[in-house]
Amino acid sequence: MKTRKVLLAVVVFCMSILPVIAQDARIPADTNPNNWANLFYINVPIEKIYPHTLGFMVLYQKSNNELGRLYLPDAWFAASGGKGDLIKMNADTTWPYLVIFYKDGKFSHVRLYVKRDKSHPSWGLLPPDANLADKFNVEEVKIEF
C-alpha cells in the first residue's frame, strides 16, 4: 500500500515537472509563418515550351491576348538549389505551367511544370538555325502582363 503511494507520487511529480523542463522547439526559417509574408508567387499558364541547348523558351498568354516570351537558362535547372526547378508531370489533365517565386519583392526562383512526354501539344521545336544565345543571358524572370 505504501509503495503504491510512493510510486503514484513519483509519477505525479514526473508528469508535473515535464512542462517546466521542456525547451522551446526552434522552427526552421522557411517553415516559420512569420517569414511567409516575404515570399509570394505568380502562376503562369504556358502556351508552348521550346527546348533549346541553352535552356527553355516559354510562350505564355498576356492579358491582352498577345503572347509573351520568357527565356529560362539551362544553368538554372542544372544545379541543385539553383534558380530553377524542372518538374516533369505524367499523363494527366493538368496543362503545363510556370510558377515564379519572389522574396522581398525580388526574383528568387522559378518552377517549370512540363509534360514528361515530348509529343504533348505543349512542346514545340525551334528551328535549328535560331540564334537565341543572347536571349538566354538573363539573371531574373521579367514577366509582362
Side-chain angles (χ1 to χ4, degrees), residues 122-139:
S122 64
W123 286 101
L125 291 174
L126 288 171
D129 59 343
N131 187 8
L132 301 172
D134 59 330
K135 302 282 187 181
F136 287 101
N137 190 15
V138 295
E139 293 296 321

Side-chain angles (χ1 to χ4, degrees), residues 45-108:
I46 294 173
E47 292 292 323
K48 215 57 151 166
I49 308 157
Y50 296 94
H52 189 269
T53 56
L54 297 174
F56 298 97
M57 183 179 82
V58 176
L59 293 181
Y60 66 96
Q61 190 166 10
K62 298 192 296 186
S63 60
N64 58 1
N65 286 335
E66 292 180 4
L67 290 178
R69 292 182 186 188
L70 296 175
Y71 296 90
L72 308 175
D74 196 38
W76 288 5
F77 301 96
S80 177
K83 289 185 179 181
D85 297 319
L86 182 65
I87 293 108
K88 296 180 180 179
M89 300 183 298
N90 291 325
D92 60 0
T93 59
T94 306
W95 192 260
Y97 62 99
L98 176 74
V99 183
I100 305 169
F101 292 89
Y102 295 90
K103 184 173 185 174
D104 297 324
K106 296 179 182 175
F107 172 73
S108 173

Side-chain angles (χ1 to χ4, degrees), residues 42 44 60 62-64 143-145:
I42 299 172
V44 181
Y60 66 96
K62 298 192 296 186
S63 60
N64 58 1
I143 190 161
E144 299 173 5
F145 295 101

Side-chain angles (χ1 to χ4, degrees), residues 107-122:
F107 172 73
S108 173
H109 62 283
V110 65
R111 285 193 182 142
L112 183 59
Y113 292 85
V114 298
K115 291 294 187 178
R116 186 177 305 276
D117 184 12
K118 298 268 179 141
S119 66
H120 188 268
S122 64

